[in-house]
Amino acid sequence: MKLNKYTVLTILLLAFFVQLIIITYNYVTGYIIVPNIGNYLTRLAIGTSFSFVFALVLVYLDLQIINRLDKIFPLPQKLLPRIPAELLFAVFAAIVIGSSITILANSLMPYPDGLSKNMINNSLITSVLNIIIITVIEAIIWFKRSQQSLVKAERLERENSQIRFETLKSQLNPHFLFNSLNVLSSLIKKDSDKAQNFVDEFSSVYRYTLDVIEKPVVELREEIDFAKSFLFLQKIRFDNAVDMEINIDVAKLNYLVPPLAVQTLLENVFKHNRASVDNPLRIKIYNENDWLVVVNNLQPKIKGVESKGVGLNNLRKRYELLGEELPHFTVTEKEYVAKIPLINPD
């Protein structure tokens, strides 16, 4: 929360109405004598000015206290140590401001009963008042954050549902299905055993797709198993014109990634590159610390495929929803390198 123009205007109006009530009450009860309307307005203007500056400084200091404590004792995780720290700083700020105002007032119009007594009384009053102010500010901030969290949660859920739909739609690619069925038809005539293996891996690919699409994350181990099945199909489809190398640290296999993240990267490889026996498509999958890396040699198709980047954009959005670092995509002279963060399960 910041001290914006609306907050300043609210403080000014509150100062005005508080002084209006105090001066009117003191006049009606006979505590002060107001000889004419001019004197009344003068008292109101001076009182409002002092109250406004006093409240403005207090609110500003309270906001600074809250902002600093948000970093040291964030809510709600560290509520218990935050409460005494916030009260201590609020009282300290109130004593400083209350004492300063008292000294200033005494220099303009000395107190009949002495400065010290009034400084103590005003510091106590200011402390109680500031505890109330900082409590109200915290309540307002908490309410606003709760409302923002609800709005954000609803927005993220809508976006997540849309992303899941787009991801599922892209994975149930009719071109991939058509090509796979053509390969299967050819294998049935040539090699029934290989055709059976193809059917098993093909069913694994689609079973995995349907099983994990509703999950926010899956273990890397599952994604790698899925990648092996997917690459097996592609290797048969391209007559062994695909070389693959998978080298993942065992300790990283229980790390997490968005479901179908690896397939998105692999499909991007086959979409933009050609593969032949003379010029095989080489794909390496490995990890660099907490990053999964998918690298392929560049062999652009003669007739380039128009890319809308839907798959990679969806992958970025899914990482955004998870609050993680975003994937990196780079092109060198000979290779395309994709890196996605591995999420620590602990």
Side-chain angles (χ1 to χ4, degrees), residues 193-213:
D193 290 337
K194 185 176 285 188
Q196 182 60 51
N197 290 336
F198 188 90
V199 170
D200 292 341
E201 299 295 344
F202 182 74
S203 63
S204 295
V205 166
Y206 276 95
R207 187 185 310 113
Y208 179 78
T209 299
L210 296 174
D211 285 345
V212 303
I213 192 59

Side-chain angles (χ1 to χ4, degrees), residues 274-287:
R274 52 190 169 80
S276 65
V277 176
D278 295 331
N279 295 291
L281 186 59
R282 296 183 175 87
I283 302 172
K284 297 178 182 178
I285 302 175
Y286 58 94
N287 72 285

Side-chain angles (χ1 to χ4, degrees), residues 243-312:
D243 291 336
M244 58 182 181
E245 180 182 333
I246 300 177
N247 186 17
I248 306 293
D249 293 343
V250 175
K252 301 297 180 181
L253 290 176
N254 66 327
Y255 276 54
L256 307 173
V257 293
L260 305 172
V262 177
Q263 184 184 355
T264 299
L265 300 179
L266 293 176
E267 283 191 337
N268 192 60
V269 173
F270 288 101
K271 181 179 180 181
H272 296 286
N273 295 277
R274 52 190 169 80
S276 65
V277 176
D278 295 331
N279 295 291
L281 186 59
R282 296 183 175 87
I283 302 172
K284 297 178 182 178
I285 302 175
Y286 58 94
N287 72 285
E288 288 182 351
N289 297 320
D290 291 347
W291 289 80
L292 182 72
V293 185
V294 178
V295 180
N296 67 274
N297 56 327
L298 287 177
Q299 297 188 152
K301 292 182 177 179
I302 297 174
K303 185 178 180 180
V305 178
E306 182 181 356
S307 176
K308 297 180 180 178
V310 174
L312 298 183

